[in-house]
Every structure is written in structure tokens, then in C-alpha cells.
Amino acid sequence: MLFLAVTRFLLVAAAAAACSLLAERYGTLAAGLIWAAAAACACGAGTALLATSAVGRVTWRNRVAGYLIPWGWRLNRGRLWPVPIISWVVWVAIGAAALVLRPGPAAEEPPGLGVRVALFAAWVADAAALLYVAGTIRQATPGGRVRSLWDLAAVIALVLAVSVGLYLGGLATAALVVGGGPPAVLGGCAAVFVLLVATLGRNARWN
């Protein structure tokens, strides 16, 4: 699980860095188009590798495809074709976020690099949570729980949309508070819980 999280983090960071380099050389619009086309080629290659790999065997094809189309597996319900589409959308969204957070040439006082990096991390965390909840909805059986999951997904989407809107409106700090506040609070609570379990769990009785 930790290896998967680190791998995803490195993939996202590499994608953001690649988009920034493309924007510096070709401009924002051209960089976005180039990135979208490159992501489509990568997702197509990943799909071809999986389609031609042997069933029941893990080979280099599976491993490489896992880096090219890493998202959407909890949403596919056993089918291959949704995975490259979802992965392409995620790749494009990552690139778009990186390009949006680049200070424009006409910006008088652009937000600092630390604020923009933190905001990018917050948007990634929000989007990852939204994708996870969507996968849970896709796998859940019909019932009352699905309704609550839809409500949660709507809240996460609203938080993400408001944060992006605030940044585009020139309120970078407010955007960071809105977009990064919930992940920071949840992460802090999880860290405290893990710390308590690690320090007190050995002597606690759970029955």
C-alpha cells in the first residue's frame, strides 16, 4: 500500500513537472494540447500492453501498463475499456492543474511557490478522495449507504470547485484553506489515531 502511494505521488509529480516544462517552452495552450495528446498515446499503449499480455501471468507488460493507466480500476467492473479513458481524464486534469497554477506573464504579484505547491497537493488530495468515493459507489450494492456516498462525493466536488474558483479569482490563500483544510484535518486525525494505537494499543483491551 505504501509503495503504491509513493508510486502514485511520483507519477503525479513527474506529470506536473513535465507540463511546467512544456509550458515554459511552448506556452500554456500548446503545452496543454501536447500533454493531452501524449497522455492519450500513453493510455493507448498501456491498453495495448494489457490486451496482449498473457492471462494469469505478471510480466513486464503488466508492470509498464500499471504506470501508464494507473487510475480507474475501481470503476471498471471487470472491463478494460473504462480504465484508459479514466486514466486519460486524470492525466489531463493533473496537467491542467499544473498549468493553471503557473503564474501568468501579466500577474503583478503571483502567489509564492510554496502556496502553489501546497494548493496543487490539496487539489490532488481532493481529486483522489473524489475518485475513491466514486469507486466505492461503483462497487457498492444499492441501498442507503449509496445515497450518503453520493452526498459525500458532492461535497468533495464542491470543495474542489470552490477552491479552483477562488484561485482563479486571485484569492490563493482562501483557495488553499478551502481545498487543503479538509485533507489536512482528516490527515491530522488519522495521524493522531495511528499514534495512539501505536503507543497504547499493546496495553489496551478491545473486548
Side-chain angles (χ1 to χ4, degrees):
M1 188 68 178
L2 180 60
F3 176 78
L4 179 61
V6 172
T7 301
R8 296 287 175 86
F9 170 79
L10 293 177
L11 287 174
V12 171
C19 286
S20 297
L21 292 175
L22 287 173
E24 289 180 2
R25 183 167 184 177
Y26 301 106
T28 301
L29 180 58
L33 295 176
I34 294 172
W35 177 251
C41 293
C43 292
T47 305
L49 288 173
L50 282 184
T52 56
S53 62
V55 178
R57 294 178 55 190
V58 179
T59 64
W60 66 270
R61 296 173 184 267
N62 306 79
R63 295 188 177 92
V64 173
Y67 294 110
L68 298 176
I69 47 175
W71 292 284
W73 293 100
R74 299 182 73 245
L75 296 167
N76 66 335
R77 286 191 174 180
R79 293 172 294 181
L80 178 59
W81 67 265
V83 177
I85 296 176
I86 297 171
S87 292
W88 180 80
V89 171
V90 173
W91 282 126
V92 171
I94 292 171
L99 294 176
V100 165
L101 289 171
R102 292 186 73 254
E108 297 180 357
E109 295 183 2
L113 178 61
V115 173
R116 288 184 282 121
V117 170
L119 193 52
F120 179 79
W123 288 353
V124 169
D126 293 338
L130 182 60
L131 194 62
Y132 179 83
V133 173
T136 304
I137 293 173
R138 186 70 171 170
Q139 296 177 351
T141 56
R145 183 189 176 197
V146 176
R147 174 63 182 275
S148 62
L149 289 174
W150 277 112
D151 294 339
L152 179 59
V155 171
I156 297 173
L158 179 62
V159 167
L160 184 57
V162 170
S163 179
V164 174
L166 288 172
Y167 179 81
L168 294 177
L171 302 174
T173 302
L176 180 58
V177 171
V178 172
V185 171
L186 292 176
C189 293
V192 171
F193 176 77
V194 171
L195 181 62
L196 289 175
V197 171
T199 55
L200 304 177
R202 293 182 179 180
N203 299 324
R205 296 185 61 183
W206 302 95
N207 53 7

